[in-house]
Amino acid sequence: MIEKGRAEEFNDVIELAVRPDGWLVRRADGETHGVGWGRASVGGTTTAKPFGPFMTRRITHGGVVSMLMANDASFRNLWGGGSQHRPDMAHKDAAAAVNIGNHLITLGLDGEILVAKKWTGEEHRPPEDFFKGARALSGIEDTYFSAKPGAVVQGWQAWDGTVTNFPAEIRNVIDIRAADKHVMFLTSSGRVFVTDQKGKSLSDEVGQVPGNIPLAIAIRIGRGMAAIQRMDGVWVAWGKSPELIEQTNKVGTALDLGFDYDTQEKSGLMLWVVPPNPFEKGSLAQVAGQSATSTPSSQTPKPATPTGDVAARMEQIEVQFQTAYERDILTAHKIAVADLDSKYLAAVNRALNAATQKGTLDEALKLREEAQRVRDKGRLPTADLDSVPETLKNLRGTYRASLAQLEQDRETKTKPYYDRRDQLLDAYQKELTQQQRLDDAVMVKSKRDELAASRFQPASGGAAPIVSAAPKPTPTPPAANGPAPMAIAPSKPAKIPKGTTKQSVIEWVYNLGGKVEVRVNDKKQGVHALADLPPEPFEVTLVSIGPGLKMDVTDDDFTMLSILPALEDVTAEGDRLKITSLAPLAGLSKLTKIHVQAKDGVAEKEILRLTDLKALDSLRVRLSDFSGEGFEALSRLPKLRTLRVHGNGRLSAKGAEAIASLTQLTSVQFPPLDRASQSRFAPIATLPALESIELDATSPGVELMRFIARLPKLTKLSFANPTDFNGPSFAALKAANGRLVELSFSAGADPKDESIKEIAAALPGLKIFNLDVPSSSCTVKGLKELAKLTNLQTLVWCEARDADYAALSGAPGLENLTVRGKGITDAAFAHFLDLPKLKTLKLVSSAATQAAADAFKKDRPGVTVTLSH
C-alpha cells in the first residue's frame, strides 16, 4: 500500500499531484504536504520521506509540479524525492509559477512575466506576451504551453526560442496537464486532446483518446495513464495499467485524483480525494491511495453511489464546484485584492504626507481617516460627499475602477465553472427523467433554476471574497417616494476643447464622415456642408457619426456634444468609437434617442447617468458588462419605449427584474441568454405592451419560448448572431399563434429545416418570415413547409437554386419575395410567375439578368422587380 503520511489526518484536501518520485496534497487553507522517494536518475533515494508542510498559493501541474509559496511568493517544486526551493524567483506581484527541466518562470496575475531564469540563474525569457491573458498554462521537458480565450494553444521551446501554434481545433482551452511526453488539453466545450509537446498526435495507449470518451469537466494525466471526469462526476481512465484503469472505475465521483505507472517495473500508484458524506456531520474530503500491484484495502473509503439519494448527489456536485472555485479562482482573487488594498493604502499615505507638507489641515484629516479605515477593513462609502477633498475622490475613483475590473475578471474566469456545474446537474436531471423519477428530476431542475437566477456564489471557503478596503456596498434604504438613488463612480471632469462652438462641433462631425440636422423657426433640415449652415439663431437637433468613422473618437471628443442643449437624437457607432462614458449626454434634457455602439462598450453603470432624460424614447447601447445595476435606473425614464442592449456578457437576474418593471416598453433587444439562464426571462414575460423582441446570440430553449408565447401584445420575434437551434423549442410558440406574425433571422442566426417545420406547425398565422443571412443550411424542405402557410405575405430567403422555388408554386398569400444567392438564374422567373398575389420581387447577389427581369415584368406588369448585386 502507499505511504500516505500525514495526509491521512486531513479532511479538507482540495488538490493533489502525483509524479514518479513523489506526491503532494494541498489543503483548503493552502497548507501543502508531500512524500518523496526519488529516482536514481535524479539522485533520489527509494525510501519514502515526508516533506513539508509549506503554505502555497497555487500549484501548476506539468512535467514538474510547481508551487508558488504563500509567505514570500517564491518558488518550490516536487522533484528528486523532495522539494527544491528557489527564493530568487520571488516577486511581490507573483500569481503563478511554472517550471520545465532546467528553467523556471514566475508570472503575474494576467500572465505578465515577472522572473524567468535558467536553473543555473541566468535570465532567459519567452516572448513578453506569451502568457499574457492565458487561461491555462503548463510545461514539459523543454517547452511551455499557453492557452488564451478564443485562441489556439501555443508552445515556446525554451532552448531555441521557437513558438509553435498547435492544431486549430485545440482552442478555447481551459486546462492543460502534462506528464512524461504527453500534453493533455480540455476545451470549454468539454472536448479532450492529447498530443506531444509540439502538438503532434501520438499512437501509444495514452496519446490515443478512446473514441467513446464523453465530454469532460476535468482532466488528469500521469506517466503511462490519463483520465477525464465525466459530467456526472465519475472518472474514466485509459493507458498502460489495467489495474489503475480498474481502480479509477471504482473511485466514482472522487474530487481529484492522480497516478503514475512505470512501464519497465510494471508498477504504479494512484491517489484520489474522497468526497464528503453529506449525511455525516463534519465529513469533508479525504485522501485515499492504492498501489497498482496490491489488492484494495477493505478500509479504503468509498464515495457515495452516484445513483443514491438526490440530495447527496447534488451535494457532491456542489462540493466539486466549491473545491475547484477555491483552488482555481478565489485564492488568486484574494491575492489580487489584497495587493490592490496595499497599493491603495500606500497611495493614501503619500497623499497624506503631501497634504501635511502643504499645511491643508482639512484634507490631511480626511486622508488620515481614510488610511485608518483601510487598516481597520472598514466599508468604502458607495458615493463621495461634497465634503470629501478632490485628492481623496480621485484616489477612491481609481480604487473603485480597479476593484470593479478585478471582480469582472473573477466573474469571467468563474463562468466555465458555473457552466460545468449546470452541465452536471443537467446530466443528472436527464438521468432521473430517463429512470422515470420525475419528481426527483423536478427537484434538480428547480435547483438549476435557482442557481441560474441568483448566480450562486459558493459558501465559506469558496465564497465571493469580502474586500477589505471596499466590500460591496450595503443598499441604501428606499426613500419614501420611490427607489433609492444609485451611486456611480465619479468620472473625470469633461475636457471640452477651448473655443468649441456649434460650428466647430458640426465641422468635427463632417470630418468623421457623419451628418447633422438643425432646427430653424421650428422646422428641421439636414445640413450637408458648413457652407449650408443657416444664420443664427439655429439649434442642432441630430448628430450621427459612424459606423465608418474616419478617425478615433475618445471621451474628450465626445464631450463636445454637451454644448448642444437642443440635441434630440445622438447616434455614434463604429470600431473607432473608443468612448467609455455617457456623461456628456447626461445634461441634454431634450434627448429622445440615444444609439451608442462603442467598440468595447461602456459599463452598464453608465446608464445611471441618463436618469434625468425624461424625454428619452429609444436607448440602444453596447455594454461591456451586465451587472443589472444600470438597468434599475431605467424605471426613472417614463417615456422609454425601445431598449436595445448587447455586448459580451449575459443578462443578470437583477437586470431581468429591472427590465420587467418597464411596463411601457414596446421593443426590446436582450443581451445573450444561455440555456442555463433562460429562466431569468420569466418576469419579463409579464410586460403588457411588448410588441417586438430581438434575442442576441441566444439559443431558443423550450422554457424561453414558453415565456415569450405568454406576452399578450407580441407580434415580432427576431434572432441575431450565431445561435444554436438544435432541439425542439419553436413548438412552444403555439400559444402565440394569431398574435406573433413575424419571425426574423439575421447576422448569422441560421435555423435548420427541422426548426422551420416546427415554426410552420406552431404558427400557421405567420405573415412574415425573414431569413436575412448570407448563407443558410436550410433547404427546399424548409421552403415547402413555409409554402403551407396560407397567411404568409412576406418571405426573405437565401442560397437556394432555381428549381427549389417550385416549392412556392401557388403560395396563395405571398406578396413580397426577396431571394439571395448565385444559385438563382433567369430560370427562376418561371417559378415566380406561379405566385398569384406577388407585388414585389427582389433578387440579391444573384446570377439573373436584367433582360430576364424585364421580360418577367411584361408578363406581370403589377410586380416591382429589383436586381441588387
Side-chain angles (χ1 to χ4, degrees):
M1 293 295 296
I2 298 172
E3 171 59 50
K4 289 183 285 186
R6 287 195 60 198
E8 284 189 305
E9 304 172 17
F10 308 141
N11 60 5
D12 59 349
V13 174
I14 63 170
E15 186 175 12
L16 59 77
V18 177
R19 285 296 177 265
D21 46 5
W23 57 265
L24 57 82
V25 296
R26 184 169 181 263
R27 304 175 67 184
D29 63 355
E31 186 177 282
T32 303
H33 295 253
V35 172
W37 47 84
R39 291 175 291 172
S41 60
V42 293
T45 68
T46 57
T47 302
K49 180 180 179 181
F51 60 85
F54 313 119
M55 296 303 294
T56 63
R57 294 186 190 176
R58 177 172 172 175
I59 294 175
T60 303
H61 298 265
V64 179
V65 178
S66 308
M67 293 172 275
L68 180 68
M69 305 303 291
N71 59 338
D72 61 356
S74 61
F75 172 92
R76 274 192 179 273
N77 64 10
L78 169 61
W79 182 253
S83 174
Q84 298 168 310
H85 185 209
R86 289 293 297 262
D88 60 317
M89 296 299 295
H91 193 284
K92 63 182 180 63
D93 296 324
V98 61
N99 173 206
I100 58 169
N102 292 317
H103 193 274
L104 311 93
I105 297 178
T106 301
L107 299 171
L109 189 63
D110 195 35
E112 59 272 27
I113 299 168
L114 303 176
V115 187
K117 295 181 178 181
K118 296 179 181 179
W119 190 262
T120 49
E122 305 96 322
E123 182 171 310
H124 184 60
R125 303 171 71 89
E128 291 302 317
D129 63 348
F130 182 74
F131 291 107
K132 188 75 171 177
R135 181 187 288 173
L137 55 94
S138 187
I140 192 172
E141 294 191 344
D142 57 2
T143 305
Y144 289 104
F145 311 105
S146 171
K148 303 175 184 179
V152 298
V153 173
Q154 288 189 315
W156 178 66
Q157 212 281 346
W159 307 129
D160 64 18
T162 58
V163 175
T164 302
N165 287 329
F166 277 54
E169 61 180 347
I170 309 179
R171 64 172 61 241
N172 286 318
V173 167
I174 60 175
D175 194 13
I176 307 175
R177 301 288 173 127
D180 201 19
K181 298 182 182 297
H182 301 85
V183 191
M184 194 175 192
F185 306 95
L186 174 64
T187 72
S188 59
S189 63
R191 297 184 66 190
V192 175
F193 299 90
V194 178
T195 73
D196 70 4
Q197 65 191 56
K198 294 186 177 180
K200 295 180 179 179
S201 58
L202 297 164
S203 59
D204 63 352
E205 295 96 324
V206 179
Q208 289 292 301
V209 180
N212 61 349
I213 287 295
L215 295 180
I217 62 170
I219 57 174
R220 298 294 183 264
I221 195 165
R223 185 174 54 158
M225 290 294 299
I228 63 103
Q229 190 176 30
R230 302 185 325 207
M231 288 198 296
D232 61 0
V234 174
W235 291 88
V236 179
W238 66 94
K240 299 182 179 182
S241 170
E243 294 88 354
L244 292 182
I245 293 173
E246 179 182 1
Q247 184 60 43
T248 303
N249 294 335
K250 294 178 180 179
V251 303
T253 56
L255 297 181
D256 198 2
L257 60 78
F259 32 42
D260 176 76
Y261 183 72
D262 189 327
T263 54
Q264 293 182 346
E265 298 292 332
K266 303 295 182 183
S267 64
L269 63 93
M270 176 174 169
L271 287 181
W272 63 96
V273 182
V274 179
N277 182 343
F279 301 109
E280 181 182 334
K281 186 176 180 180
S283 173
L284 294 171
Q286 294 180 314
V287 174
Q290 183 63 47
S291 167
T293 57
S294 65
T295 303
S297 166
S298 60
Q299 298 179 351
T300 300
K302 294 184 179 180
T305 305
T307 57
D309 185 271
V310 175
R313 177 74 165 271
M314 289 197 294
E315 177 71 14
Q316 288 176 351
I317 292 171
E318 189 58 37
V319 169
Q320 290 174 358
F321 169 75
Q322 292 188 25
T323 300
Y325 179 85
E326 163 75 25
R327 179 186 67 230
D328 301 339
I329 304 296
L330 185 57
T331 299
H333 180 74
K334 286 180 176 178
I335 293 169
V337 172
D339 180 60
L340 176 62
D341 290 347
S342 175
K343 291 176 179 176
Y344 178 67
L345 180 59
V348 171
N349 284 329
R350 287 195 297 271
L352 174 59
N353 291 335
T356 56
Q357 291 175 8
K358 289 187 299 181
T360 51
L361 178 61
D362 291 343
E363 179 182 5
L365 289 173
K366 290 289 186 182
L367 289 166
R368 187 178 68 177
E369 290 174 6
E370 180 73 355
Q372 189 59 47
R373 181 193 63 76
V374 176
R375 284 191 288 268
D376 294 342
K377 303 186 185 301
R379 288 188 178 277
L380 178 70
T382 57
D384 294 328
L385 302 176
D386 292 340
S387 59
V388 175
E390 284 300 317
T391 303
L392 183 52
K393 284 182 180 179
N394 292 336
L395 287 170
R396 285 178 172 178
T398 301
Y399 180 90
R400 290 182 179 114
S402 300
L403 179 62
Q405 184 59 55
L406 290 178
E407 292 180 337
Q408 180 63 36
D409 290 346
R410 182 189 63 187
E411 182 68 15
T412 299
K413 292 174 182 176
T414 305
K415 182 184 179 301
Y417 294 79
Y418 286 115
D419 292 344
R420 289 186 204 178
R421 178 176 60 185
D422 187 70
Q423 288 173 345
L424 290 174
L425 291 170
D426 180 52
Y428 187 37
Q429 176 185 318
K430 290 176 181 176
E431 177 186 324
L432 292 170
T433 302
Q434 291 165 352
Q435 295 172 1
Q436 298 186 4
R437 297 174 59 185
L438 301 185
D439 291 339
D440 290 340
V442 169
M443 183 190 303
V444 177
K445 183 180 184 302
S446 297
K447 183 64 175 177
R448 291 178 64 205
D449 291 345
E450 174 190 335
L451 294 175
S454 63
R455 190 70 179 195
F456 176 78
Q457 295 290 340
S460 60
I466 299 175
V467 181
S468 59
K472 292 185 177 179
T474 302
T476 305
N481 59 349
M486 294 195 169
I488 182 168
S491 60
K492 293 180 179 180
K495 297 179 180 178
I496 302 174
K498 292 182 179 179
T500 299
T501 63
K502 281 190 293 188
Q503 288 81 358
S504 64
V505 175
I506 294 171
E507 182 176 10
W508 170 71
V509 171
Y510 289 151
N511 289 338
L512 290 170
K515 63 180 182 179
V516 299
E517 186 174 276
V518 300
R519 180 167 48 224
V520 182
N521 297 327
D522 292 328
K523 292 183 179 180
K524 295 180 181 180
Q525 63 184 66
V527 179
H528 304 289
L530 284 175
D532 298 332
L533 277 178
E536 291 279 6
F538 68 86
E539 297 174 314
V540 180
T541 60
L542 178 149
V543 168
S544 178
I545 56 175
L549 294 169
K550 295 179 179 180
M551 63 186 78
D552 289 348
V553 176
T554 66
D555 283 322
D556 286 346
D557 298 325
F558 206 56
T559 59
M560 290 192 290
L561 298 182
S562 64
I563 73 162
L564 305 176
L567 265 182
E568 299 173 2
D569 186 331
V570 172
T571 298
E573 56 186 336
D575 287 344
R576 303 192 72 172
L577 183 64
K578 299 180 178 180
I579 66 170
T580 62
S581 176
L582 299 178
L585 308 180
L588 304 177
S589 60
K590 295 185 179 181
L591 277 172
T592 62
K593 174 184 172 184
I594 297 174
H595 287 191
V596 176
Q597 310 288 309
K599 180 178 184 295
D600 297 320
V602 299
E604 185 188 316
K605 285 186 176 182
E606 287 297 311
I607 297 176
L608 297 173
R609 302 187 189 278
L610 309 179
T611 54
D612 291 330
L613 304 182
K614 304 305 182 185
L616 194 63
D617 173 80
S618 178
L619 175 62
R620 180 174 183 173
V621 61
R622 182 192 297 275
L623 300 177
S624 58
D625 67 275
F626 294 90
S627 65
E629 296 180 34
F631 289 144
E632 291 185 352
L634 297 176
S635 63
R636 300 201 284 279
L637 300 175
K639 294 188 177 181
L640 189 66
R641 299 290 185 274
T642 300
L643 175 63
R644 300 171 68 83
V645 290
H646 58 101
N648 296 321
R650 301 285 177 186
L651 181 65
S652 66
K654 190 176 183 180
E657 291 172 0
I659 293 173
S661 69
L662 307 177
T663 56
Q664 75 279 13
L665 280 180
T666 59
S667 178
V668 175
Q669 177 192 13
F670 290 103
L673 283 164
D674 56 24
R675 290 187 186 259
S677 62
Q678 290 182 6
S679 61
R680 297 175 187 173
F681 196 92
I684 298 170
T686 63
L687 286 174
L690 196 58
E691 299 172 356
S692 174
I693 295 176
E694 180 173 331
L695 298 172
D696 182 20
T698 295
S699 299
V702 174
E703 187 177 35
L704 178 61
M705 294 297 100
R706 285 175 179 163
F707 288 139
I708 288 174
R710 296 176 188 171
L711 290 161
K713 295 288 185 69
L714 186 68
T715 61
K716 179 180 179 180
L717 176 60
S718 303
F719 295 88
N721 293 311
T723 307
D724 175 16
F725 290 93
N726 292 327
S729 58
F730 288 103
L733 292 175
K734 188 173 183 179
N737 184 43
R739 289 181 280 112
L740 182 56
V741 295
E742 180 176 352
L743 275 181
S744 180
F745 302 84
S746 63
D750 182 18
K752 309 293 190 294
D753 287 331
E754 293 78 6
S755 295
I756 294 179
K757 184 176 181 179
E758 278 188 46
I759 291 168
L763 301 171
L766 199 66
K767 295 181 179 179
I768 301 172
F769 187 91
N770 185 342
L771 185 60
D772 188 19
V773 295
S775 61
S776 172
S777 58
C778 294
T779 70
V780 67
K781 293 180 180 178
L783 273 177
K784 289 179 178 178
E785 295 298 333
L786 294 173
K788 299 175 184 178
L789 300 177
T790 57
N791 293 301
L792 190 67
Q793 298 173 356
T794 299
L795 173 63
V796 178
W797 197 255
C798 74
E799 292 300 327
R801 299 167 299 174
D802 294 332
D804 292 345
Y805 289 103
L808 296 176
S809 178
L814 194 60
E815 298 177 357
N816 310 292
L817 177 63
T818 299
V819 295
R820 179 195 301 270
K822 295 296 183 183
I824 305 168
T825 69
D826 293 346
F829 286 102
H831 302 299
F832 302 148
L833 287 171
D834 294 331
L835 301 173
K837 292 191 176 182
L838 191 66
K839 295 179 181 179
T840 63
L841 174 63
K842 185 175 182 179
L843 290 79
V844 181
S845 301
S846 73
T849 64
Q850 188 62 51
D854 292 339
F856 177 82
K857 285 190 284 187
K858 288 182 180 179
D859 292 331
R860 296 289 299 274
V863 179
T864 300
V865 181
T866 304
L867 296 184
S868 174
H869 297 287

